[in-house]
Amino acid sequence: MKRLAVSADGPAAWESWRDAFARVAPDLPTISWFDPAFDPADASYALVWEPPVGEMARMANMRVILSTGAGVNHLVNRPDFPADVPLVRMGGDQTAVLMADYVMWAAIGLLRGARRWARDQEKHLWCNRPILRNSAETRVGVLGFGNLGAAVARRLAATGFIVSAWCRTPREEKQIPLFFGEEGLSDFLPSVDILVNLLPSTPHTRHIIDAELLSRLKPGADFINVGRGDHVVEDDLLAALASGQLDSAVLDVVATEPLSAESPLWDHPRITLTPHMASEASREAQAAYVAHVIRELEEGRAPPLLYRPDRGY
Ligand code: NDP
């Protein structure tokens, strides 16, 4: 039985998921996880984002759990996560293109001082500032060269930025210079003008962006965080902005979401905030990707974006 039970985004989202699956995968049987008549024994697959507390334990007999997010740290760290059930992360072209669009927007905005222009306009200030660098003179360093990091790096390079990336596993890569592991990080950081974080949140990467790492960037570098908020020591980020070691930051993710009303990040003149929406594909695109993964699984193929507990991502 290849039925998919949809829990993602709660009971209110069920009808829009049902309609999306009906449009893109009419042959895939679906049911709401919250349907009073639903019995977990009647489904093989569950689609989740942040299921209610305790609910994941009821997914222990699923063949596979699929996440509507590419980051799954919030699921695998829960006490009710059934560790024996394979977990597949969200992928698909639209997710990668949206992320590349966002980072392009953020990088160009940083280059041209978009936040300063917006603030000047609010104050009716006509203030012409010199442009320090163009894209061809700017090195973007991407932390993470996975599904999204690689898509972002390739798009930035195609647009004319100088790009390098850092990841864990040594390998050949023709287009983007790659740096690996701790030693590679020391070579990677000092030439970076704009640092982009696209790492997964794992015990090894949590709080990786701290005062020490920031001090190794070029003085006056910029920072774009599209990974997870817990990668960053927020006090260290604010201190680096205050000292001028960092010029500006664009943050799509923060340690506590939604950001508390009292956070100093809201009003910082050199921080641009967006509400964790860098790369949220449409319902149809997500449903099409999920249906594709289920087809692959039913035909005995392993999906590429399988969470690996040994690596933590
Ligand atoms: P992948 O798992 O495909 O890629 C992760 C990359 O990080 C890999 O290149 C991996 O190295 C590298 N990496 C992991 N651990 C380490 C480490 N300890 N040291 C060095 N490199 C490391 O993930 P995705 O590209 O799909 O997604 C990345 C993250 O983006 C997600 O985990 C999530 O946090 C975030 N995200 C944010 C969204 C938003 O809207 N803001 C939306 C979607 C995702 P290697 O290649 O060697 O395995």
Side-chain angles (χ1 to χ4, degrees):
M1 136 84 69
K2 61 166 182 177
R3 181 140 67 154
L4 170 72
V6 179
S7 149
D9 305 323
W14 160 241
E15 285 183 9
S16 67
W17 279 117
R18 181 198 60 201
D19 295 350
F21 279 107
R23 277 193 290 276
V24 301
D27 296 340
L28 176 66
T30 56
I31 184 166
S32 168
W33 183 269
F34 305 100
D35 187 321
F38 172 64
D39 177 347
D42 296 338
S44 306
Y45 302 99
L47 180 64
V48 303
W49 171 234
E50 284 182 320
V53 176
E55 207 60 18
M56 287 205 88
R58 299 180 66 220
M59 298 178 187
N61 292 325
M62 293 296 128
R63 186 167 164 210
V64 167
I65 297 173
L66 299 106
S67 162
T68 59
V72 290
N73 51 304
H74 65 295
L75 297 175
V76 301
N77 292 335
R78 292 168 52 137
D80 61 345
F81 176 69
D84 295 338
V85 182
L87 175 64
V88 176
R89 307 184 298 105
M90 182 50 59
D93 290 348
Q94 199 184 84
T95 304
V97 172
L98 283 170
M99 184 58 87
D101 287 350
Y102 180 98
V103 176
M104 281 292 301
W105 161 80
I108 299 279
L110 287 165
L111 267 189
R112 302 306 295 264
R115 171 98 169 113
R116 289 182 174 92
W117 279 342
R119 285 170 54 84
D120 285 354
Q121 183 177 347
E122 275 173 14
K123 293 183 222 148
H124 297 195
L125 262 180
W126 189 266
C127 181
N128 194 333
R129 293 194 178 80
I131 292 164
L132 300 178
R133 280 187 264 107
N134 63 29
S135 54
E137 297 162 331
T138 299
R139 177 173 293 277
V140 183
V142 184
L143 295 171
F145 195 71
N147 188 45
L148 298 176
V152 165
R154 293 190 206 292
R155 171 81 88 78
L156 289 164
T159 321
F161 283 95
I162 311 161
V163 183
S164 46
W166 180 69
C167 58
R168 218 174 51 106
T169 321
R171 57 193 179 257
E172 290 273 329
E173 158 62 36
K174 288 199 171 67
Q175 194 191 352
I176 308 289
L178 292 186
F179 296 80
F180 309 105
E182 260 315 304
E183 208 178 302
L185 192 61
S186 301
D187 298 329
F188 165 82
L189 290 171
S191 60
V192 169
D193 297 299
I194 300 180
L195 184 71
V196 176
N197 175 38
L198 264 167
L199 290 168
S201 171
T202 73
H204 298 290
T205 62
R206 223 157 281 147
H207 289 166
I208 190 172
I209 298 161
D210 61 2
E212 197 272 327
L213 182 144
L214 293 170
S215 73
R216 290 197 268 163
L217 295 169
K218 257 191 199 173
D222 295 312
F223 174 53
I224 300 170
N225 193 10
V226 273
R228 284 287 179 265
D230 68 3
H231 286 130
V232 178
V233 179
E234 259 168 29
D235 286 347
D236 290 2
L237 176 75
L238 289 167
L241 286 162
S243 73
Q245 171 59 16
L246 270 189
D247 183 81
S248 299
V250 178
L251 309 177
D252 183 53
V253 286
V254 289
T256 306
E257 297 178 5
L259 187 61
S260 78
E262 301 76 40
S263 170
L265 301 178
W266 284 115
D267 295 313
H268 197 290
R270 285 180 282 125
I271 291 178
T272 301
L273 281 170
T274 55
H276 199 150
M277 43 54 69
S279 152
E280 200 172 306
S282 68
R283 280 264 194 273
E284 271 81 4
Q286 294 197 342
Y289 185 76
V290 167
H292 164 74
V293 168
I294 291 176
R295 256 193 315 274
E296 295 279 288
L297 287 162
E298 292 288 319
E299 286 166 17
R301 284 186 289 277
L305 299 183
L306 195 59
Y307 165 73
R308 286 200 16 208
D310 57 319
R311 299 184 316 191
Y313 61 98

